[in-house]
C-alpha cells in the first residue's frame, strides 16, 4: 500500500480520534477537528511522495480485489454493527467493535498483497478492540479509539516512507528521442 492508502488510513485514524474525543470525552466543535490536523500533515507528506518521480507501489490484481472486497465487507460490517449497538443501547461498545472490524478487514489484504505489516496492523486493531470490549466503559472506548487512531497514523507514515523508498529504487523510465 502506497501513499494513496496512507491517505485513507490517515483519514480514518483522524475519524477514530475525533469520535473518541466526542463519545468518550464529550468534546465538541473545533476540538473535534484537531485530529484532522494530523491527517493534514499526513496528506502533505503523501502529496510529496506521490509527486516523486518513479513507479510507485501498484497492487497486483489479486491484491486489488482483496482491497475492494474487504473494504466492502468492512463498510457493511461497520454499518450493521453501529445500527445493532445503537438499537440495543450499547453505544459504549461502538469504538471497540469498530476497531475489531477495521482490524479484520486488513487480514485478507495482508494475505493477498502479501504485506506482513498489515497482519501486524490488523492484529493490533483486533487486540485493542477485544481489550476495549472487556474493559469497562468509558476506558474501553478510549483505549480502542485512540489505539486504532495511532495504529492507522503509524501505518500511514510507514506507507509513505515505503512508497518514497520504492520510487527511489524504481526511477522513471526515460526513452531516447528519435
Amino acid at each position: 500500500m502506497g501513499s494513496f492508502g496512507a491517505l485513507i488510513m490517515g483519514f480514518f485514524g483522524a475519524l477514530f480520534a475525533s469520535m473518541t474525543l466526542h463519545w468518550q470525552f464529550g468534546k465538541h466543535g473545533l476540538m473535534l477537528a484537531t485530529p484532522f490536523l494530523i491527517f493534514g500533515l499526513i496528506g502533505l507528506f503523501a502529496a510529496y511522495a506521490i509527486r516523486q518521480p518513479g513507479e510507485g507501489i501498484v497492487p497486483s490484481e489479486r491484491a486489488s480485489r482483496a482491497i475492494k472486497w474487504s473494504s466492502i465487507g468492512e463498510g457493511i460490517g461497520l454499518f450493521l454493527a453501529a445500527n445493532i449497538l445503537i438499537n440495543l443501547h450499547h453505544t459504549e461498545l461502538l469504538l471497540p467493535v469498530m476497531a475489531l472490524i477495521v482490524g479484520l478487514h486488513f487480514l485478507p489484504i495482508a494475505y493477498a498483497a502479501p504485506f506482513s505489516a498489515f497482519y501486524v496492523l490488523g492484529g493490533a486493531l483486533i487486540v485493542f478492540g477485544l481489550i476495549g470490549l472487556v474493559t469497562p466503559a468509558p476506558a474501553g472506548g478510549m483505549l480502542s479509539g485512540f489505539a486504532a487512531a495511532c495504529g492507522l497514523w503509524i501505518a500511514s507514515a510507514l506507507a509513505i516512507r515505503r512508497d518514497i523508498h520504492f520510487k527511489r529504487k524504481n526511477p522513471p523510465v526515460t526513452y531516447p528521442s528519435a
Side-chain angles (χ1 to χ4, degrees), residues 72-88 94 97-98 101:
I72 290 169
E74 174 191 32
I76 292 169
L78 289 170
F79 175 78
L80 290 173
N83 279 291
I84 291 168
L85 290 172
I86 290 169
N87 285 320
L88 294 176
L94 276 169
V97 169
M98 290 170 68
I101 292 169

Side-chain angles (χ1 to χ4, degrees), residues 18-90:
S18 186
M19 288 187 302
T20 305
L21 288 171
H22 179 67
W23 290 341
Q24 305 303 317
F25 294 97
K27 301 296 180 186
H28 301 284
L30 287 178
M31 184 66 167
L32 299 180
T34 55
F36 289 93
L37 296 175
I38 296 172
F39 169 62
L41 190 61
I42 289 168
L44 289 174
F45 284 109
Y48 170 79
I50 290 166
R51 293 174 159 261
Q52 294 301 302
E55 176 92 22
I57 298 169
V58 179
S60 68
E61 182 63 34
R62 179 180 180 213
S64 293
R65 278 193 313 271
I67 292 168
K68 178 176 79 172
W69 287 108
S70 68
S71 296
I72 290 169
E74 174 191 32
I76 292 169
L78 289 170
F79 175 78
L80 290 173
N83 279 291
I84 291 168
L85 290 172
I86 290 169
N87 285 320
L88 294 176
H89 305 288
H90 283 290

Side-chain angles (χ1 to χ4, degrees), residues 130-175:
L130 291 172
I131 291 171
L133 286 173
V134 298
T135 304
M142 287 181 216
L143 177 68
S144 295
F146 284 140
C150 290
L152 290 166
W153 285 335
I154 291 168
S156 294
L158 294 174
I160 293 168
R161 181 177 173 266
R162 180 176 177 243
D163 200 24
I164 291 171
H165 181 73
F166 191 83
K167 284 184 175 185
R168 286 186 181 150
K169 283 191 164 193
N170 298 295
V173 177
T174 56
Y175 298 101

